[in-house]
């Protein structure tokens, strides 16, 4: 569960108001797109959720917990429940596919026995069982992103955030990534996808939150338009 209550974010370095009184609730198990032009405030939302930054105003609850109350030493544990995928994949180039996924488990203190069980499992989930021993530079972009997805899912997070996951992919590979995200969602993981790939968003018929200049201008549930101004006057 993610809840933003009147959240504003003004960056102190630039005085830029990236978010202005943003409110939304994402229930456990939802699939949500966050869309909007470059600079609208999408990544700021993801950084607030992962507690990389704290809002200048308002509160953020993750699974009922106010993130401002999380102590510095608790942050790594808090983040274990959030898988992240980025546009640029961020794989470790000197490690094989298998080792990239295993590494995510090693840093959370998972036993070798568990790692040997989990890695083949998540690589199977993204259709890369046959590429376990390949180096990242021998993979296509779509395959690299699938490794990143497997790695993000290795610790079985309740929430997966993908910030422009298809930004570097052709339409076929983008579609494949979206299929895998839907599949992961079917198994109960909450999914937040930041994108400006409008075609994908329209085709997938999932909830869409649109942000413009730091303000939510649309929160549309599976195609039925919900006007945010409703009932305000
Ligand atoms: P998006 O992901 O939608 O492109 P961002 O959330 O990254 O947008 O940025 C929203 C606004 O906040 C932009 O005007 C951007 O320049 C500004 N911004 C983002 N990160 C920082 C930062 N670390 N310091 C100062 N300003 C920032
Ligand atoms: Mg961004």
């Amino acid at each position: 569960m993610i809840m933003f209550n009147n959240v504003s974010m003004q960056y102190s370095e630039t005085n830029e108001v990236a978010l202005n009184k943003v409110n939304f609730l994402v229930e456990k198990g939802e699939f949500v797109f966050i869309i909007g032009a470059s600079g609208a405030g999408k990544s700021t939302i993801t950084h607030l959720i992962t507690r990389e930054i704290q809002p200048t105003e308002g509160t953020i609850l993750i699974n009922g917990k106010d993130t401002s109350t999380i102590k510095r030493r608790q942050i790594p544990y808090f983040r274990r429940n959030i898988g992240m995928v980025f546009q640029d994949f961020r794989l470790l180039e000197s490690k094989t596919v298998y080792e990239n996924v295993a590494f995510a488990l090693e840093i959370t203190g998972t036993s070798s026995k568990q790692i040997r069980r989990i890695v083949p499992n998540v690589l199977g989930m993204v259709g890369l069982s046959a590429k376990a021993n390949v180096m990242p530079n021998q993979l296509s972009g779509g395959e690299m992103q699938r490794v990143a997805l497997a790695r993000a899912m290795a610790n079985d997070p309740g929430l997966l955030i993908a910030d422009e996951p298809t930004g570097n992919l052709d339409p076929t590979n983008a579609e494949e990534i979206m299929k895998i995200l839907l599949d992961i969602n079917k198994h109960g993981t909450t999914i937040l996808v930041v994108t400006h790939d409008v075609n994908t968003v329209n085709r997938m018929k999932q909830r869409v939150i649109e942000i413009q200049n730091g303000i939510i201008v649309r929160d549309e549930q599976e195609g039925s338009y919900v006007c945010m101004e409703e009932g305000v006057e």
Side-chain angles (χ1 to χ4, degrees):
M1 174 275 250
I2 305 165
M3 191 170 184
F4 272 48
N5 274 324
N6 259 333
V7 170
S8 297
M9 180 68 210
Q10 182 168 28
Y11 288 102
S12 54
E13 302 91 330
T14 53
N15 285 332
E16 189 79 47
V17 179
L19 295 179
N20 189 357
K21 298 196 186 296
V22 163
N23 291 284
F24 67 86
L25 170 66
V26 174
E27 299 282 8
K28 184 173 161 29
E30 277 197 73
F31 190 118
V32 182
F33 284 113
I34 297 182
I35 64 167
S38 179
K42 306 180 298 297
S43 293
T44 298
I45 291 176
T46 71
H47 296 147
L48 285 165
I49 292 169
T50 56
R51 186 48 156 76
E52 278 157 77
I53 53 175
Q54 287 198 261
T56 39
E57 194 191 323
T59 51
I60 296 158
L61 305 184
I62 306 291
N63 297 332
K65 190 173 175 63
D66 183 340
T67 58
S68 72
T69 67
I70 301 170
K71 297 196 176 64
R72 187 182 288 267
R73 67 187 149 78
Q74 296 172 324
I75 289 176
Y77 299 96
F78 168 74
R79 289 199 186 132
R80 261 180 215 190
N81 193 40
I82 307 175
M84 294 287 304
V85 174
F86 304 95
Q87 178 168 359
D88 56 358
F89 321 130
R90 304 194 187 176
L91 300 179
L92 299 165
E93 292 298 327
S94 62
K95 290 182 185 290
T96 65
V97 165
Y98 184 100
E99 289 163 350
N100 264 276
V101 179
F103 187 66
L105 291 158
E106 285 158 17
I107 58 179
T108 58
T110 311
S111 71
S112 323
K113 190 178 166 197
Q114 287 278 60
I115 292 175
R116 284 196 298 272
R117 182 184 63 82
I118 295 168
V119 178
N121 196 16
V122 289
L123 285 179
M125 192 176 75
V126 300
L128 282 182
S129 301
K131 303 266 177 166
N133 298 316
V134 166
M135 300 305 283
N137 66 11
Q138 293 171 286
L139 299 174
S140 71
E143 288 170 335
M144 286 188 213
Q145 194 60 298
R146 285 191 272 151
V147 177
L149 263 177
R151 179 180 59 183
M153 290 306 296
N155 283 294
D156 194 22
L159 169 64
L160 181 69
I161 298 176
D163 196 340
E164 303 278 4
T166 61
N168 284 335
L169 304 180
D170 61 52
T172 310
N173 279 304
E175 180 136 359
E176 182 62 35
I177 292 297
M178 286 298 162
K179 264 196 210 144
I180 297 168
L181 287 172
L182 264 188
D183 193 43
I184 291 169
N185 176 247
K186 294 256 156 56
H187 288 87
T189 307
T190 309
I191 304 218
L192 220 60
V193 182
V194 172
T195 184
H196 45 258
D197 181 356
V198 179
N199 288 333
T200 301
V201 171
N202 289 341
R203 208 172 42 243
M204 302 243 319
K205 308 223 182 307
Q206 301 289 333
R207 180 175 170 192
V208 178
I209 296 176
E210 182 176 351
I211 179 151
Q212 259 175 32
N213 296 316
I215 293 170
I216 291 182
V217 294
R218 164 161 90 121
D219 190 347
E220 185 181 4
Q221 202 73 248
E222 293 166 42
S224 67
Y225 186 79
V226 178
C227 181
M228 294 308 289
E229 277 82 34
E230 243 169 30
V232 165
E233 273 96 57

